[in-house]
Amino acid sequence: MAAPRVVFDTNVVLSALVFGGPATRRLRALWQQGACTPLVSTATASELVRVLAYPKFRLSPAEREDLLADYLPYAKVVTLPNPPPIVPDCRDRFDLPFLQLSVAGKAMLVTGDRDLLVLAGKTAFPILQIEAVIGGFEDR
């Protein structure tokens, strides 16, 4: 059985790579073990690269490269169609690429973002919090 396809929003990936709380550390181990397949698009990968460069994180270019090397090799790149898939309206326009990637990649969206969580049940794909998916990945 193929590993579940998952779109992680930037904050989930950032938490797993930089902050490493118990749930996000476990999530990082799960994608590295192949228990899930993270999906990225040009827009979502660019967003991650941009956010990792924020001065508040004080990460050197080499540290940013190391962190990206702990995520991107495990991810599958999905090219979004033009025009991109239609998704529900979202308050934060920066969240649209994650919704579009979930549609195009036929994947669940894992997030802690309230702007995305309020759309749960209004999309053709699940929108879940980290804790809701970890157990399912571990049972595989």
Side-chain angles (χ1 to χ4, degrees):
M1 180 186 286
R5 296 163 65 92
V6 184
V7 173
F8 296 118
D9 78 7
T10 301
N11 288 327
V12 169
V13 176
L14 191 66
S15 293
L17 294 175
V18 178
F19 304 115
T24 56
R25 265 196 319 271
R26 186 68 197 127
L27 189 63
R28 183 178 184 179
L30 289 168
W31 80 54
Q32 291 175 341
Q33 295 163 5
C36 63
T37 302
L39 303 183
V40 296
S41 66
T42 301
T44 63
S46 296
E47 167 78 358
L48 179 58
V49 168
R50 182 180 67 82
V51 170
L52 284 171
Y54 284 176
K56 69 181 178 181
F57 297 129
R58 298 181 179 176
L59 297 169
S60 71
E63 289 170 320
R64 292 193 302 265
E65 278 185 37
D66 285 346
L67 292 172
L68 290 170
D70 274 348
Y71 180 63
L72 293 178
Y74 301 96
K76 177 177 174 42
V77 177
V78 174
T79 302
L80 295 182
N82 190 9
I86 296 171
V87 295
D89 288 333
C90 186
R91 190 184 70 82
D92 184 348
R93 68 179 178 85
F94 290 109
D95 290 334
L96 288 176
F98 298 95
L99 294 166
Q100 293 165 342
L101 178 56
S102 295
V103 171
K106 297 178 174 76
M108 70 181 79
L109 175 59
V110 177
T111 184
D113 185 327
R114 286 188 205 109
D115 290 333
L116 291 170
L117 289 169
V118 299
L119 299 176
K122 299 175 185 171
T123 60
F125 54 89
I127 299 176
L128 304 166
Q129 292 183 314
I130 295 169
E131 296 77 12
V133 298
I134 289 178
F137 294 161
E138 291 178 327
D139 294 338
R140 298 187 53 78

